[in-house]
Amino acid sequence: MAADIMSDEPSSECLRRGVIFRNPDQCLPAAEPTNDGLVEIQLKKALAKCEALLLEKDELIHRQELLKDESDHRWLNDLQMTISLLSMQSRNSANPEVAEQLAAAANRVSMIARIHRRLNSYKGAGTIEFRKFLEDFCRDFSTLLSSDGPCCKISIEGGEVILPASIGIPLGFIASELITNAAKYGAGRIAIRLEAAPKHGYVLSVANDGPALPEGFDPAASNGLGMKIIQSFVRQINGELRIGRAEDGSGARFTVLFPVPSAADD
């Protein structure tokens, strides 16, 4: 008789997957997600995380751009105030020599501000007509030099070269520093050339007449701020800085070799 009595406990056979329980109060096992369902859930979680990270990154970039714009604005305002003060002191000075020196200082600061504005004007631009940039810069630079006395001749050789802004803007700072150094330490004519180089992409060179650089001159060992700025921007564009003499064997020639992404040539 004991064998004929049905037990309330489910047998091991009933616990196997796919077997219906005899007791209707007992529930079926919960259905497990398929492999495709698990992959879809994981992908959705990963995408949500990526979107959150991208949003956070965009907000950080936006804040950095705002801080940079505010910093540039304040810096330009400070420059303008400096120009105004120097000009006022120049006009009020009873000593003609002092007045002339103050006016020259005001012109120098004014040129720095113009260069900064010109480079910032390329913000958001995809490409830069670099020969045009050099012509505009050298025009301003020649105006500054003429205020201090006889101006050296600056020539720009080579045709127009259109560079991506990511290359052109750092190269603009490099060119301005090299031209300034050529005028400061050299003499006579300053020759600037930008041209394509089959093995390197492009080559920018700035040469001047006058005394050559000392033998074994190492720009990496230079303590001058201008040379450190040049080297920093050269590294930024994955370029190479070479130093030698002008074509006639005199003076100094600074050459920057740098690659340009193929997409920028289109």
Side-chain angles (χ1 to χ4, degrees), residues 19 79 83 86 127 149 186 199 205-207 210 215 238 249:
V19 177
L79 286 181
I83 294 168
L86 288 171
T127 58
K199 294 183 179 180
S205 64
V206 177
E215 290 292 338
N238 297 318

Side-chain angles (χ1 to χ4, degrees), residues 98-234:
V98 173
E100 183 180 353
Q101 292 177 351
L102 289 171
N107 287 335
R108 289 190 181 93
V109 177
S110 179
M111 188 195 70
I112 292 172
R114 287 198 298 271
I115 293 171
H116 187 79
R117 288 192 183 96
R118 179 170 295 119
L119 289 172
N120 275 352
S121 69
Y122 292 109
K123 182 179 179 180
T127 58
I128 293 176
E129 296 176 350
F130 203 76
R131 180 185 172 91
K132 183 178 184 304
F133 165 82
L134 289 174
E135 290 172 346
D136 292 341
F137 171 81
C138 290
R139 187 181 304 111
D140 289 343
F141 192 73
S142 296
T143 301
L144 169 66
L145 293 180
S146 63
S147 66
D148 290 340
C151 179
C152 63
K153 182 180 178 182
I154 302 177
S155 64
I156 301 174
E157 304 168 356
E160 182 62 87
V161 175
I162 299 177
L163 298 174
S166 60
I167 298 291
I169 291 177
L171 193 65
F173 283 106
I174 294 171
S176 65
E177 286 294 332
L178 289 177
I179 295 168
T180 301
N181 285 345
K184 183 177 180 180
Y185 299 108
R189 187 176 71 100
I190 298 175
I192 307 162
R193 173 177 286 273
L194 177 64
E195 58 187 349
K199 294 183 179 180
H200 301 92
Y202 286 93
V203 175
L204 170 70
S205 64
V206 177
N208 64 274
D209 299 333
L213 290 169
E215 290 292 338
F217 175 77
D218 182 9
S222 174
N223 294 322
L225 178 60
M227 190 57 61
K228 290 181 179 179
I229 291 174
I230 291 170
Q231 293 185 91
S232 174
F233 282 117
V234 168

